């Protein structure tokens, strides 16, 4: 409880900083940057309110319940319940009466506790998949560092007529040819971009339905605020700014504090998607859908390819709005894959795949 409360309060502090920082944006700031700043501030307020309400809802509800009970009871009527061993007396203005066999009060219900908790099914291949994806994420970002023109390491383009690397793109020299590393690296990066983060959203969404059923709305959201929101706020508000300050000091640049989710953008939007699902699940029926045929998945994939292309052509400078790393992928892959994960988790698609002939 205290940890959820602490994380929620921290989000209010981050929201205050983002409001002030965005309001003081320089004149050169673009409209998407300003809108994104205010959006992220409101997003942090939402996290803080949800966290505090989920933890302290019993106390909040008791206030309203107490007021409605006082307002609904007749004036002057008092009732006292006296418990004497196995007998119960209810005393009011008209006297006391004993509760016995003719009493309409429900009999006590025995609660049976299973001493052996249910054993979670270990899905080894899914753990292996997550391990592989984690390796790919680290390798992907490492390769990214060597595909740029960084000093004289010449991993991007080798131009014998331009030793100073003044023309790294090679647009003005028809004899320039990309190096082997650059060609292979760009293929590796583009292939990864087409599946690895979407797969993480798919896996995360798969376990949301059963987690929500087991914990309930308040416990589910409070748990997400701590498990996802906690690392996110620590990195964005403390660790990432420290790295930036170190870089500025090393380069001799002016030291400025900069809040940034950075590589934790995935946690930010996974938290948003998880909370959105928990809210929607309270008002929608459970959908029972079997594992789609591979041909159906192929058709859906082709449709999402069209969505990707349309967003790529139309989104312009809004691709990083709200801390999302490219809405081109967010709208065409991350949201659909998370939704597919939720639908698959509700209907045990992985189990059906395991049992497939």
């Amino acid at each position: 409880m205290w940890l959820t409360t602490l994380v929620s309060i921290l989000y209010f502090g981050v929201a205050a900083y983002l409001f002030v920082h965005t309001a003081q944006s320089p004149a050169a700031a673009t409209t998407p940057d300003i809108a994104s700043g205010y959006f992220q501030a409101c997003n942090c307020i939402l996290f803080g309110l949800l966290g505090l309400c989920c933890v302290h809802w019993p106390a909040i509800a008791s206030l309203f319940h107490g007021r409605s009970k006082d307002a609904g009871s007749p004036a002057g009527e008092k009732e006292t319940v006296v418990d004497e061993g196995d007998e119960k007396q209810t005393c009011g203005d008209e006297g006391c009466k004993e509760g016995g066999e003719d009493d309409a009060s429900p009999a006590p219900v025995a609660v049976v506790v299973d001493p052996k908790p249910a054993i979670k099914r270990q899905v080894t291949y899914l753990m292996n998949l997550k391990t592989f994806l984690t390796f790919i994420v680290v390798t992907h970002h490492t390769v990214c560092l060597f595909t740029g023109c960084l000093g004289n390491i010449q991993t991007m383009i080798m131009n014998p007529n331009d030793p100073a690397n003044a023309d790294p793109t090679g647009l003005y020299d028809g004899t320039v040819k990309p190096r082997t590393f650059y060609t292979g690296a760009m293929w590796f990066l583009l292939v990864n971009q087409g599946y690895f983060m979407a797969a993480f959203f798919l896996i995360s969404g798969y376990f949301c339905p059963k987690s929500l059923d087991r914990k309930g709305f308040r416990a589910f959201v409070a748990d997400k605020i701590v498990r996802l929101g906690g690392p996110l706020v620590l990195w964005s508000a403390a660790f990432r700014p420290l790295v930036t300050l170190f870089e500025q000091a090393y380069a001799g640049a002016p030291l400025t504090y900069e809040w940034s989710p950075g590589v934790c953008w995935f946690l930010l939007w996974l938290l948003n998607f998880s909370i959105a699902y928990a809210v929607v699940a309270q008002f929608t029926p459970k959908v029972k859908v079997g594992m789609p045929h591979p041909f159906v998945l192929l058709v859906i994939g082709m449709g999402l390819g069209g969505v990707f292309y349309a967003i790529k052509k139309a989104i312009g400078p809004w691709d990083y709005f709200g801390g999302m790393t490219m809405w081109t992928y967010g709208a065409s892959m991350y949201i659909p894959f998370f939704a597919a994960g939720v639908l698959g988790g509700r209907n045990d698609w992985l189990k059906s795949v395991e049992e497939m002939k």
Side-chain angles (χ1 to χ4, degrees):
M1 177 183 293
W2 68 269
L3 188 56
T4 309
T5 303
L6 176 60
V7 173
S8 302
I9 293 174
L10 287 176
Y11 271 108
F12 284 115
V14 172
Y17 164 80
L18 289 175
F19 274 121
V20 174
H21 179 74
T22 306
Q24 297 176 350
S25 298
T30 62
T31 300
D33 290 338
I34 296 175
S36 181
Y38 284 123
F39 175 86
Q40 292 185 77
C42 294
N43 204 3
C44 290
I45 290 178
L46 177 63
F47 293 156
L49 287 175
L50 282 172
L52 291 180
C53 288
C54 287
V55 172
H56 302 286
W57 181 252
I60 298 173
S62 64
L63 295 177
F64 294 97
H65 180 70
R67 292 177 182 177
S68 61
K69 185 176 181 180
D70 294 341
S73 59
E77 182 179 347
K78 298 180 180 180
E79 184 179 70
T80 305
V81 178
V82 181
D83 190 0
E84 298 180 352
D86 295 333
E87 296 183 356
K88 181 175 66 175
Q89 290 184 336
T90 303
C91 303
D93 294 338
E94 300 178 356
C96 298
K97 61 180 181 179
E98 294 185 357
E101 297 179 355
D102 297 334
D103 190 3
S105 59
V109 180
V111 179
V112 179
V113 180
D114 187 0
K116 297 181 180 179
I119 300 176
K120 292 185 178 180
R121 189 170 68 99
Q122 297 293 333
V123 188
T124 305
Y125 65 87
L126 201 57
M127 181 63 67
N128 294 339
L129 176 60
K130 290 189 289 185
T131 303
F132 169 76
L133 291 173
T134 303
F135 167 78
I136 289 295
V137 168
V138 176
T139 308
H140 179 96
H141 287 89
T142 303
V143 172
C144 283
L145 295 177
F146 290 95
T147 55
C149 301
L150 304 175
N152 292 318
I153 62 174
Q154 299 292 347
T155 55
M156 182 175 180
I157 286 180
M158 181 63 176
N159 186 352
N161 300 322
D162 184 20
N165 206 29
D167 179 27
T169 61
L171 295 178
Y172 305 104
D173 190 338
T175 63
V176 173
K177 297 181 180 180
R179 297 194 63 176
T180 304
F181 176 84
Y182 178 77
T183 304
M186 291 307 298
W187 175 87
F188 178 75
L189 297 180
L190 291 175
V191 169
N192 293 339
Q193 198 67 50
Y195 77 92
F196 69 148
M197 296 312 300
F200 272 119
F201 281 108
L202 176 72
I203 296 172
S204 300
Y206 188 87
F207 295 100
C208 280
K210 292 183 179 179
S211 178
L212 180 61
D213 293 344
R214 184 175 66 255
K215 298 177 181 178
F217 178 83
R218 288 197 301 113
F220 176 84
V221 173
D223 181 69
K224 295 298 182 183
I225 293 291
V226 172
R227 291 178 178 269
L228 299 178
L232 172 63
V233 73
L234 284 177
W235 171 258
S236 304
F239 297 149
R240 175 57 186 169
L242 286 176
V243 173
T244 303
L245 289 172
F246 172 79
E247 294 169 347
Q248 293 169 345
Y250 182 80
L255 301 181
T256 56
Y257 175 87
E258 296 180 8
W259 180 91
S260 172
V263 294
C264 286
W265 67 269
F266 171 77
L267 296 180
L268 169 65
W269 284 100
L270 180 58
L271 180 57
N272 277 323
F273 293 167
S274 300
I275 293 175
Y277 161 70
V279 173
V280 172
Q282 307 305 308
F283 306 99
T284 55
K286 297 179 181 179
V287 180
K288 294 296 182 181
V289 179
M291 178 69 185
H293 191 277
F295 180 76
V296 175
L297 296 178
L298 177 63
V299 173
I300 294 175
M302 294 175 63
L304 292 178
V307 173
F308 177 91
Y309 179 79
I311 296 176
K312 186 72 174 178
K313 299 293 289 185
I315 197 166
W318 296 88
D319 211 14
Y320 290 84
F321 175 78
M324 170 64 77
T325 297
M326 292 183 289
W327 275 105
T328 308
Y329 292 92
S332 63
M333 295 180 63
Y334 303 156
I335 295 177
F337 271 64
F338 180 82
V342 169
L343 197 60
R346 175 60 66 195
N347 296 278
D348 288 326
W349 282 0
L350 288 184
K351 189 175 181 180
S352 65
V353 172
E354 295 169 8
E355 298 173 352
M356 186 180 297
K357 295 182 180 180

